[in-house]
Amino acid sequence: MSGEEEENAAELKIGDEFLKAKCLMNCEVSLILEHKYEQLQQTSDDPTNSVSQVFEKSLQYVKRFSRYKNPDAVRQVRDLLHQIVILTYIRILARYQLAEFELCVLGNLCPETVEEAIAMVPSIKTRGRAQDDEAIEKMLNDLSLIKKFE
Amino acid sequence: MFFHIVLERNMQLHPRYFGRNLRDNLVSKLMKDVEGTCSGRHGFVVAVTGIENIGKGLIRDGTGFVTFPVKYQCVVFRPFKGEILEAVVTMVNKMGFFAEAGPVQIFVSNHLIPDDMEFQSGDMPNYTTSDGSVKIQKDSEVRLKIIGTRVDATEI
């Protein structure tokens, strides 16, 4: 496949199709897949038979690695908190001119220091947007505010 | 990384499915055909989330089948070289360890495991640091960087 040889997420070389696509954080995928599973439970006697192994494994994975779990909360409250989380992410995206892919990796892995963040997403430093350490630190502080919704 | 993208597929439908439930039949056939599949370009299709558009059906010459071009939204999992993500260890041996991130299988060779970690065999084979502070064994959660991907006929 052409272009795959140059593929490198560290430099944000993930192909036009995925750069423009909507990236999903594990917590978002968790909501989508759980919702679908619930729908299947209503329409089928045995939902475990009607979902693929890919679906099961993905659901298990995003539940395990979702940063924003709140199992005791009522679904409506969870949705509202989720909306606030998403809006905060959108503001961060706009303010720091991150690509969606970069924001999602940061959101999934939650680095605590600037060094960690640069190690996880080297492209935030190199894509020529004059991201100095101070700006990156500010961005991480903004991201960590979202942890309050855990 | 998970993405929400729009894909297109030509669905062939036998006339027995025509009628009132044509659209529903088309959509369930789509889900059965596509969910759980994997391609090198888009990764794994985890779930179809919606139908964007169903085009006009074209009757195939010689058979009664009709082909419908269907545009649908779906969640895909597509790992990228250079991406950092979290995974769960599934098996450990002296060559390295296997881990899973969602539907994707990952192998980490012992050459790429930090030098200060040694392989320990036994009931629960693991890699441990000399001071015992970090241990990688079955069901451990690890964070790793993907250095290469390979696509088999049905998996990555």
Side-chain angles (χ1 to χ4, degrees), chain A residues 109, chain B residues 83-87 97 99 101 106 108 142-146:
Chain A
L109 301 179
Chain B
E83 182 182 345
I84 295 182
L85 45 70
E86 292 175 309
F97 66 85
I106 302 170
V108 179
V142 295
R143 211 171 255 192
L144 46 84
K145 176 150 104 172
I146 297 181

Side-chain angles (χ1 to χ4, degrees), chain B residues 77-115:
Chain B
F77 186 76
R78 166 73 153 94
F80 285 96
K81 182 175 138 174
E83 182 182 345
I84 295 182
L85 45 70
E86 292 175 309
V88 179
V89 177
T90 51
M91 184 171 89
V92 180
N93 61 37
K94 66 180 191 308
M95 308 298 295
F97 66 85
F98 284 90
E100 270 183 13
V104 165
Q105 299 274 3
I106 302 170
F107 175 66
V108 179
S109 147
N110 61 11
H111 298 299
L112 295 168
I113 296 173
D115 290 334

Side-chain angles (χ1 to χ4, degrees), chain A residues 42-103:
Chain A
Q42 286 166 0
T43 57
S44 141
D45 295 318
D46 185 13
T48 46
N49 254 350
S50 45
V51 294
S52 62
Q53 214 191 28
V54 168
F55 184 99
E56 290 259 19
K57 287 194 165 180
S58 302
L59 181 54
Q60 269 171 36
Y61 176 75
V62 293
K63 274 170 128 160
R64 186 165 182 168
F65 291 109
S66 202
R67 294 274 159 184
Y68 315 105
K69 318 179 237 266
N70 203 346
D72 299 330
V74 173
R75 191 181 176 75
Q76 287 170 332
V77 177
R78 242 174 71 194
D79 283 348
L80 177 64
L81 287 176
H82 179 70
Q83 281 173 40
I84 297 174
V85 164
I86 295 306
L87 284 172
T88 313
Y89 277 123
I90 291 174
R91 282 213 315 277
I92 294 175
L93 205 56
R95 192 182 300 157
Y96 299 100
Q97 293 175 293
L98 294 169
E100 269 199 55
F101 185 84
E102 292 169 323
L103 180 67

Side-chain angles (χ1 to χ4, degrees), chain B:
Chain B
M1 175 62 72
F2 288 96
F3 294 88
H4 205 189
I5 58 176
V6 175
L7 293 177
E8 195 165 346
R9 188 181 174 85
N10 287 325
M11 303 288 315
Q12 276 204 33
L13 211 57
H14 187 280
R16 77 161 77 94
Y17 298 114
F18 297 175
R20 238 177 333 165
N21 297 323
L22 175 76
R23 196 194 154 90
D24 287 343
N25 287 330
L26 205 52
V27 172
S28 9
K29 186 167 196 294
L30 173 72
M31 296 200 183
K32 253 198 228 109
D33 280 1
V34 133
E35 284 183 352
T37 62
C38 170
S39 73
R41 186 165 160 210
H42 295 119
F44 285 88
V45 177
V46 178
V48 173
T49 54
I51 305 293
E52 206 167 81
N53 177 254
I54 302 179
K56 290 200 167 89
L58 192 63
I59 308 179
R60 319 285 306 168
D61 285 342
T63 71
F65 280 84
V66 173
T67 306
F68 293 89
V70 182
K71 271 208 185 115
Y72 59 99
Q73 293 147 354
C74 56
V75 174
V76 296
F77 186 76
R78 166 73 153 94
F80 285 96
K81 182 175 138 174
E83 182 182 345
I84 295 182
L85 45 70
E86 292 175 309
V88 179
V89 177
T90 51
M91 184 171 89
V92 180
N93 61 37
K94 66 180 191 308
M95 308 298 295
F97 66 85
F98 284 90
E100 270 183 13
V104 165
Q105 299 274 3
I106 302 170
F107 175 66
V108 179
S109 147
N110 61 11
H111 298 299
L112 295 168
I113 296 173
D115 290 334
D116 61 346
M117 299 195 83
E118 295 267 314
F119 174 68
Q120 324 257 15
S121 55
D123 274 344
M124 223 10 176
N126 62 76
Y127 282 86
T128 315
T129 48
S130 43
D131 61 1
S133 59
V134 184
K135 194 187 267 199
I136 299 177
Q137 61 190 23
K138 187 162 174 210
D139 212 45
S140 294
E141 291 173 7
V142 295
R143 211 171 255 192
L144 46 84
K145 176 150 104 172
I146 297 181
I147 59 165
T149 60
R150 196 189 70 192
V151 187
D152 279 339
T154 52
E155 58 179 47
I156 295 180

